[in-house]
């Protein structure tokens, strides 16, 4: 039996935090043990918010280092960059022609922008279409993402069905893969951990930064068990261990926060060190991405040939 395939993308939009790691990144490392995988840097997607070439350049390299540091193995996973594979934008155009405006207007990101009276650019409006192309070119069985990306994967599935119904069976229908326990990792204020809420704990934080973040966790003076501290701690230790610990130290917020700092440091320090090692040799690291893109290109080009055949533009 052939191995199942997973695929996911990450925007090069800054430092990853624990929400990104437990919600999505960790799944890639776990899945690579038994599955064939594609993980890519969605640099064209990031253009909607990142319009500075130097920053884009740096961020791309940073994502690469982040993933190598958490243990993504380029021998097991094809790690590539979206902008290296022109088939993504090419297929997105073809999907544009079978996707209606009202359908895309149901997307959360669009509705949010509309509710805030933001003038949304066409790229942001079309974001889910490019994402559909990213996914469908490689025929993954599963797309591991955090809960906020579920709708995007469902849109990709609908677009695949529409294409198949119009032109004949071409694309495998993808499924989002969302782990219930980490679908929404909470931040230091209890809301979803997110850069835009300023409530994150960076995945590669230095000790002092970890301390600062943990000390800023919001606690309510009436609580026996500080739930925001517990929720983050629970990412590192199972409830079976934590509950009795928290019960025995009920009300002692400072002590519990100190324990969390130590546990976070134990977890983060090896990742941080590994990242620094990789960062010493950027040319070698870039070569990994370049090779991955070459491999991905072969798969994407083959699928695109099939698409061109199906829509009838192949005449030579
Ligand atoms: P982003 O940096 O927002 O593009 O997110 C990258 C990945 O991390 C996506 O799969 C998100 O769904 C996931 N993610 C981001 N924040 C969280 C969170 N607080 N909890 C769970 N998953 C998250
Ligand atoms: N939209 C995803 C995010 O913001 C990134 C992404 C782009 C992606 N293309 C994808 C994720 C394809 C999974 C599959 O996190």
């Amino acid at each position: 039996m052939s191995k199942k395939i997973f695929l996911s993308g990450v925007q090069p939009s800054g430092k990853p935090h624990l929400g990104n790691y437990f919600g999505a990144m960790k799944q890639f490392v776990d899945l690579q043990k038994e599955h064939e995988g594609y993980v890519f840097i969605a640099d064209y997607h990031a253009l909607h918010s990142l319009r500075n070439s130097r920053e884009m350049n740096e961020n791309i390299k940073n994502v690469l280092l982040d993933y190598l540091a958490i243990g993504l193995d380029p021998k097991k996973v094809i790690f590539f960059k979206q902008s290296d594979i022109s088939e993504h934008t090419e297929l997105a155009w073809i999907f544009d022609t079978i996707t209606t405006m009202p359908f895309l207007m149901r997307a959360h990101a669009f509705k949010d922008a509309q509710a805030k009276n933001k003038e949304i650019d066409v790229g942001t409006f079309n974001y889910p279409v490019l994402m559909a192309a990213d996914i469908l070119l490689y025929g993954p069985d599963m797309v591991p993402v955090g809960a906020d990306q579920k709708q995007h994967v469902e849109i990709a599935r609908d677009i695949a069905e529409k294409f198949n119904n119009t032109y004949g069976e071409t694309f495998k229908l993808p499924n989002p893969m969302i782990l219930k326990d980490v679908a929404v990792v909470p931040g230091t204020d209890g809301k979803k951990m997110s850069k835009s809420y300023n409530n994150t704990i960076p995945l590669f934080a230095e000790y002092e930064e970890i301390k600062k973040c943990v000390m800023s966790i919001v606690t309510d003076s009436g609580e026996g068990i500080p739930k925001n501290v517990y929720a983050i701690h629970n990412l590192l230790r199972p409830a079976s261990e934590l509950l009795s610990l928290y019960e025995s130290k009920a009300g002692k917020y400072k002590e519990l926060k100190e324990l969390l700092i130590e546990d976070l440091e134990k977890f983060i320090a090896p990742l941080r060190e590994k990242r620094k090692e990789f960062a010493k040799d950027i040319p070698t690291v870039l070569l990994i991405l370049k090779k991955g893109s070459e491999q991905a290109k072969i798969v994407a080009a083959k699928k695109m040939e099939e698409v061109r055949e199906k829509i009838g533009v192949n005449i030579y």
Side-chain angles (χ1 to χ4, degrees):
M1 216 177 74
S2 64
K3 282 186 177 176
K4 287 215 158 143
I5 302 172
F6 74 93
L7 170 141
S8 199
V10 262
Q11 291 194 57
S13 51
K15 282 194 210 165
H17 51 70
L18 293 185
N20 299 132
Y21 178 74
F22 287 100
M25 298 164 82
K26 180 173 183 291
Q27 272 67 272
F28 311 161
V29 180
D30 294 342
L31 285 166
Q32 71 179 354
K33 292 177 195 138
E34 287 179 19
H35 303 288
E36 224 177 277
Y38 295 89
V39 175
F40 71 95
I41 303 178
D43 48 355
Y44 277 169
H45 268 120
L47 277 176
H48 76 93
S49 58
L50 179 54
R51 293 174 185 152
N52 174 306
S53 65
R54 192 189 44 77
E55 223 180 294
M56 176 68 95
N57 228 282
E58 280 309 304
N59 283 6
I60 292 172
K61 289 178 198 157
N62 279 328
V63 176
L64 185 56
L65 292 173
D66 296 342
Y67 274 88
L68 293 173
I70 63 166
L72 202 74
D73 181 352
K75 289 193 209 78
K76 295 185 180 144
V77 170
I78 297 181
F79 196 39
F80 69 97
K81 180 158 74 63
Q82 187 184 37
S83 60
D84 285 342
I85 323 281
S86 51
E87 281 79 359
H88 288 230
T89 43
E90 184 179 357
L91 184 58
W93 171 257
I94 294 167
F95 286 162
D96 274 345
T97 65
I98 57 163
T99 307
T100 68
M101 302 263 290
F103 177 66
L104 288 184
M105 282 161 122
R106 291 204 292 267
H108 300 315
F110 175 72
K111 285 207 273 192
D112 289 351
Q114 221 182 15
K116 289 180 193 145
N117 268 331
K118 271 195 196 160
E119 230 173 39
I120 186 167
D121 58 86
V122 178
T124 305
F125 183 66
N126 258 355
Y127 186 109
V129 181
L130 179 57
M131 187 154 157
D134 297 339
I135 297 172
L136 299 174
L137 276 172
Y138 303 91
D141 299 283
M142 48 207 161
V143 183
V145 282
D148 56 2
Q149 296 297 317
K150 182 168 182 262
Q151 190 191 35
H152 286 153
V153 182
E154 285 164 358
I155 291 175
R157 197 181 163 91
D158 285 347
I159 291 178
E161 267 188 311
K162 180 86 181 274
F163 188 97
N164 290 348
N165 288 337
T166 310
Y167 293 110
E169 205 56 32
T170 310
F171 294 111
K172 196 192 293 179
L173 305 189
N175 287 305
M177 181 189 156
I178 297 168
L179 299 189
K180 202 162 92 306
D181 290 345
V182 286
V184 184
V185 173
T188 52
D189 57 358
K191 283 196 288 186
K192 177 192 159 190
M193 189 177 286
S194 166
K195 263 166 262 165
S196 44
Y197 299 153
N198 235 331
N199 64 356
T200 66
I201 301 181
L203 176 60
F204 298 100
E206 295 290 340
Y207 184 67
E208 284 305 316
E209 197 178 4
I210 297 176
K211 240 165 108 176
K212 208 170 122 224
C213 293
V214 171
M215 285 308 168
S216 77
I217 298 177
V218 179
T219 50
D220 178 339
S221 58
E223 289 171 299
I225 289 181
K227 60 178 189 310
N228 294 340
V229 184
Y230 181 90
I232 294 173
H233 219 154
N234 197 205
L235 297 167
L236 307 172
R237 288 211 223 182
S240 55
E241 268 177 47
L242 273 191
L243 267 175
S244 54
L245 183 72
Y246 272 63
E247 272 160 11
S248 71
K249 293 190 185 299
K252 298 182 179 153
Y253 305 157
K254 188 154 175 288
E255 249 182 78
L256 288 168
K257 281 187 173 180
E258 276 161 5
L259 273 172
L260 175 58
I261 292 169
E262 293 319 311
D263 278 353
L264 277 170
E265 171 66 9
K266 262 187 235 150
F267 166 70
I268 290 177
L271 301 180
R272 216 170 48 209
E273 292 319 307
K274 234 170 123 191
R275 195 181 188 285
K276 284 180 190 158
E277 277 307 304
F278 281 115
K280 285 182 187 158
D281 187 0
I282 296 291
T284 300
V285 162
L286 285 180
L287 206 59
I288 293 175
L289 193 63
K290 191 156 177 272
K291 279 199 180 140
S293 287
E294 282 163 12
Q295 283 174 283
K297 178 85 183 173
I298 295 169
V299 179
K302 188 158 170 255
K303 194 74 199 175
M304 226 22 243
E305 263 313 289
E306 189 188 340
V307 170
R308 288 198 202 97
E309 193 65 45
K310 291 274 170 63
I311 63 174
V313 296
N314 260 358
I315 59 165
Y316 305 114

mmCIF file of all heavy atoms in Angstrom, residues 10-11 13 17 19-20 23-24 144-149 182-185 192-195, ligand 1:
data_model
loop_
_atom_site.group_PDB
_atom_site.id
_atom_site.type_symbol
_atom_site.label_atom_id
_atom_site.label_comp_id
_atom_site.label_asym_id
_atom_site.label_seq_id
_atom_site.Cartn_x
_atom_site.Cartn_y
_atom_site.Cartn_z
ATOM 1 N N VAL A 10 3.194 27.433 5.393
ATOM 2 C CA VAL A 10 3.333 28.436 6.447
ATOM 3 C C VAL A 10 3.760 29.750 5.840
ATOM 4 O O VAL A 10 4.630 29.796 4.974
ATOM 5 C CB VAL A 10 4.428 28.071 7.477
ATOM 6 C CG1 VAL A 10 3.841 27.453 8.682
ATOM 7 C CG2 VAL A 10 5.512 27.234 6.881
ATOM 8 N N GLN A 11 3.139 30.805 6.322
ATOM 9 C CA GLN A 11 3.512 32.124 5.811
ATOM 10 C C GLN A 11 4.782 32.608 6.508
ATOM 11 O O GLN A 11 4.913 32.431 7.722
ATOM 12 C CB GLN A 11 2.401 33.114 6.122
ATOM 13 C CG GLN A 11 1.152 32.874 5.331
ATOM 14 C CD GLN A 11 0.240 34.069 5.442
ATOM 15 O OE1 GLN A 11 0.624 35.191 5.119
ATOM 16 N NE2 GLN A 11 -0.966 33.852 5.893
ATOM 17 N N SER A 13 5.744 35.080 8.038
ATOM 18 C CA SER A 13 5.260 36.371 8.538
ATOM 19 C C SER A 13 5.789 36.702 9.922
ATOM 20 O O SER A 13 5.156 37.420 10.679
ATOM 21 C CB SER A 13 3.723 36.398 8.516
ATOM 22 O OG SER A 13 3.240 35.253 9.164
ATOM 23 N N HIS A 17 5.210 31.072 17.275
ATOM 24 C CA HIS A 17 4.950 31.007 18.718
ATOM 25 C C HIS A 17 4.429 29.617 19.074
ATOM 26 O O HIS A 17 4.271 28.760 18.187
ATOM 27 C CB HIS A 17 3.978 32.118 19.122
ATOM 28 C CG HIS A 17 2.721 32.180 18.300
ATOM 29 N ND1 HIS A 17 1.737 31.228 18.360
ATOM 30 C CD2 HIS A 17 2.303 33.080 17.364
ATOM 31 C CE1 HIS A 17 0.754 31.545 17.534
ATOM 32 N NE2 HIS A 17 1.076 32.660 16.906
ATOM 33 N N GLY A 19 1.574 28.616 19.789
ATOM 34 C CA GLY A 19 0.314 28.294 19.109
ATOM 35 C C GLY A 19 0.585 27.688 17.741
ATOM 36 O O GLY A 19 -0.018 26.683 17.352
ATOM 37 N N ASN A 20 1.520 28.284 17.011
ATOM 38 C CA ASN A 20 1.885 27.743 15.695
ATOM 39 C C ASN A 20 2.480 26.348 15.853
ATOM 40 O O ASN A 20 2.176 25.443 15.081
ATOM 41 C CB ASN A 20 2.941 28.603 14.999
ATOM 42 C CG ASN A 20 2.488 30.015 14.734
ATOM 43 O OD1 ASN A 20 3.199 30.969 15.017
ATOM 44 N ND2 ASN A 20 1.289 30.171 14.202
ATOM 45 N N GLY A 23 -0.251 23.882 17.389
ATOM 46 C CA GLY A 23 -1.420 23.828 16.511
ATOM 47 C C GLY A 23 -1.103 23.231 15.156
ATOM 48 O O GLY A 23 -1.959 22.587 14.545
ATOM 49 N N ALA A 24 0.111 23.419 14.654
ATOM 50 C CA ALA A 24 0.385 22.957 13.292
ATOM 51 C C ALA A 24 1.780 22.354 13.112
ATOM 52 O O ALA A 24 1.915 21.199 12.708
ATOM 53 C CB ALA A 24 0.175 24.124 12.317
ATOM 54 N N PRO A 144 -2.658 19.145 7.582
ATOM 55 C CA PRO A 144 -2.626 19.503 9.004
ATOM 56 C C PRO A 144 -2.534 21.015 9.201
ATOM 57 O O PRO A 144 -1.613 21.657 8.709
ATOM 58 C CB PRO A 144 -1.352 18.814 9.525
ATOM 59 C CG PRO A 144 -0.507 18.592 8.323
ATOM 60 C CD PRO A 144 -1.412 18.499 7.137
ATOM 61 N N VAL A 145 -3.514 21.577 9.888
ATOM 62 C CA VAL A 145 -3.565 23.035 10.135
ATOM 63 C C VAL A 145 -4.236 23.299 11.479
ATOM 64 O O VAL A 145 -4.841 22.401 12.063
ATOM 65 C CB VAL A 145 -4.390 23.775 9.043
ATOM 66 C CG1 VAL A 145 -3.615 23.956 7.762
ATOM 67 C CG2 VAL A 145 -5.721 23.084 8.782
ATOM 68 N N GLY A 146 -4.153 24.529 11.928
ATOM 69 C CA GLY A 146 -4.904 24.951 13.109
ATOM 70 C C GLY A 146 -6.353 25.222 12.702
ATOM 71 O O GLY A 146 -6.663 25.322 11.508
ATOM 72 N N ALA A 147 -7.235 25.340 13.687
ATOM 73 C CA ALA A 147 -8.666 25.465 13.412
ATOM 74 C C ALA A 147 -8.992 26.647 12.502
ATOM 75 O O ALA A 147 -9.919 26.589 11.691
ATOM 76 C CB ALA A 147 -9.422 25.595 14.727
ATOM 77 N N ASP A 148 -8.183 27.726 12.595
ATOM 78 C CA ASP A 148 -8.507 28.920 11.804
ATOM 79 C C ASP A 148 -8.349 28.697 10.297
ATOM 80 O O ASP A 148 -8.793 29.524 9.501
ATOM 81 C CB ASP A 148 -7.673 30.121 12.278
ATOM 82 C CG ASP A 148 -6.178 29.852 12.240
ATOM 83 O OD1 ASP A 148 -5.787 28.745 11.816
ATOM 84 O OD2 ASP A 148 -5.399 30.739 12.615
ATOM 85 N N GLN A 149 -7.719 27.598 9.903
ATOM 86 C CA GLN A 149 -7.528 27.337 8.470
ATOM 87 C C GLN A 149 -8.520 26.313 7.915
ATOM 88 O O GLN A 149 -8.471 25.968 6.738
ATOM 89 C CB GLN A 149 -6.100 26.845 8.208
ATOM 90 C CG GLN A 149 -5.034 27.866 8.532
ATOM 91 C CD GLN A 149 -5.161 29.089 7.651
ATOM 92 O OE1 GLN A 149 -5.389 28.994 6.446
ATOM 93 N NE2 GLN A 149 -5.034 30.260 8.247
ATOM 94 N N VAL A 182 -5.423 20.845 20.488
ATOM 95 C CA VAL A 182 -4.569 22.012 20.218
ATOM 96 C C VAL A 182 -5.120 22.868 19.073
ATOM 97 O O VAL A 182 -4.403 23.673 18.487
ATOM 98 C CB VAL A 182 -3.116 21.575 19.889
ATOM 99 C CG1 VAL A 182 -2.386 21.129 21.131
ATOM 100 C CG2 VAL A 182 -3.092 20.490 18.829
ATOM 101 N N ALA A 183 -6.409 22.688 18.778
ATOM 102 C CA ALA A 183 -7.004 23.436 17.661
ATOM 103 C C ALA A 183 -6.870 24.937 17.912
ATOM 104 O O ALA A 183 -6.619 25.704 16.995
ATOM 105 C CB ALA A 183 -8.463 23.044 17.484
ATOM 106 N N VAL A 184 -7.046 25.338 19.158
ATOM 107 C CA VAL A 184 -6.853 26.747 19.507
ATOM 108 C C VAL A 184 -5.988 26.811 20.766
ATOM 109 O O VAL A 184 -6.466 26.590 21.877
ATOM 110 C CB VAL A 184 -8.199 27.468 19.759
ATOM 111 C CG1 VAL A 184 -7.952 28.940 20.014
ATOM 112 C CG2 VAL A 184 -9.144 27.294 18.572
ATOM 113 N N VAL A 185 -4.722 27.086 20.579
ATOM 114 C CA VAL A 185 -3.812 27.204 21.718
ATOM 115 C C VAL A 185 -3.987 28.599 22.317
ATOM 116 O O VAL A 185 -3.903 29.598 21.597
ATOM 117 C CB VAL A 185 -2.345 26.993 21.265
ATOM 118 C CG1 VAL A 185 -1.371 27.285 22.401
ATOM 119 C CG2 VAL A 185 -2.154 25.572 20.744
ATOM 120 N N LYS A 192 -7.069 33.242 21.981
ATOM 121 C CA LYS A 192 -6.228 32.488 21.048
ATOM 122 C C LYS A 192 -4.835 33.129 20.945
ATOM 123 O O LYS A 192 -4.736 34.353 20.780
ATOM 124 C CB LYS A 192 -6.909 32.513 19.665
ATOM 125 C CG LYS A 192 -6.101 31.833 18.599
ATOM 126 C CD LYS A 192 -6.643 32.114 17.204
ATOM 127 C CE LYS A 192 -5.546 31.863 16.200
ATOM 128 N NZ LYS A 192 -5.813 32.292 14.862
ATOM 129 N N MET A 193 -3.788 32.319 21.048
ATOM 130 C CA MET A 193 -2.437 32.880 20.931
ATOM 131 C C MET A 193 -2.248 33.388 19.512
ATOM 132 O O MET A 193 -2.438 32.647 18.545
ATOM 133 C CB MET A 193 -1.372 31.828 21.267
ATOM 134 C CG MET A 193 0.021 32.425 21.374
ATOM 135 S SD MET A 193 1.326 31.269 21.859
ATOM 136 C CE MET A 193 1.040 31.004 23.580
ATOM 137 N N SER A 194 -1.909 34.659 19.384
ATOM 138 C CA SER A 194 -1.797 35.243 18.050
ATOM 139 C C SER A 194 -0.934 36.496 18.108
ATOM 140 O O SER A 194 -1.045 37.283 19.056
ATOM 141 C CB SER A 194 -3.199 35.602 17.546
ATOM 142 O OG SER A 194 -3.105 36.446 16.426
ATOM 143 N N LYS A 195 -0.082 36.638 17.083
ATOM 144 C CA LYS A 195 0.786 37.817 17.042
ATOM 145 C C LYS A 195 -0.034 39.099 17.146
ATOM 146 O O LYS A 195 0.358 40.065 17.787
ATOM 147 C CB LYS A 195 1.586 37.823 15.732
ATOM 148 C CG LYS A 195 2.961 37.251 15.883
ATOM 149 C CD LYS A 195 3.587 36.966 14.538
ATOM 150 C CE LYS A 195 3.453 35.527 14.161
ATOM 151 N NZ LYS A 195 3.690 35.153 12.809
HETATM 152 P P1 LIG B 1 -0.246 31.731 10.988
HETATM 153 O O1 LIG B 1 1.115 32.133 11.431
HETATM 154 O O2 LIG B 1 -1.360 32.436 11.665
HETATM 155 O O3 LIG B 1 -0.361 31.705 9.501
HETATM 156 O O4 LIG B 1 -0.430 30.197 11.461
HETATM 157 C C1 LIG B 1 0.367 29.112 11.043
HETATM 158 C C2 LIG B 1 -0.306 27.823 11.496
HETATM 159 O O5 LIG B 1 -0.441 27.810 12.920
HETATM 160 C C3 LIG B 1 -1.731 27.631 10.942
HETATM 161 O O6 LIG B 1 -1.953 26.270 10.629
HETATM 162 C C4 LIG B 1 -2.597 28.075 12.078
HETATM 163 O O7 LIG B 1 -3.872 27.480 12.053
HETATM 164 C C5 LIG B 1 -1.800 27.620 13.292
HETATM 165 N N1 LIG B 1 -2.066 28.451 14.471
HETATM 166 C C6 LIG B 1 -1.822 29.781 14.649
HETATM 167 N N2 LIG B 1 -2.182 30.216 15.880
HETATM 168 C C7 LIG B 1 -2.694 29.115 16.526
HETATM 169 C C8 LIG B 1 -3.228 28.892 17.830
HETATM 170 N N3 LIG B 1 -3.296 29.858 18.748
HETATM 171 N N4 LIG B 1 -3.665 27.637 18.117
HETATM 172 C C9 LIG B 1 -3.582 26.634 17.209
HETATM 173 N N5 LIG B 1 -3.071 26.775 15.972
HETATM 174 C C10 LIG B 1 -2.626 27.991 15.620
#
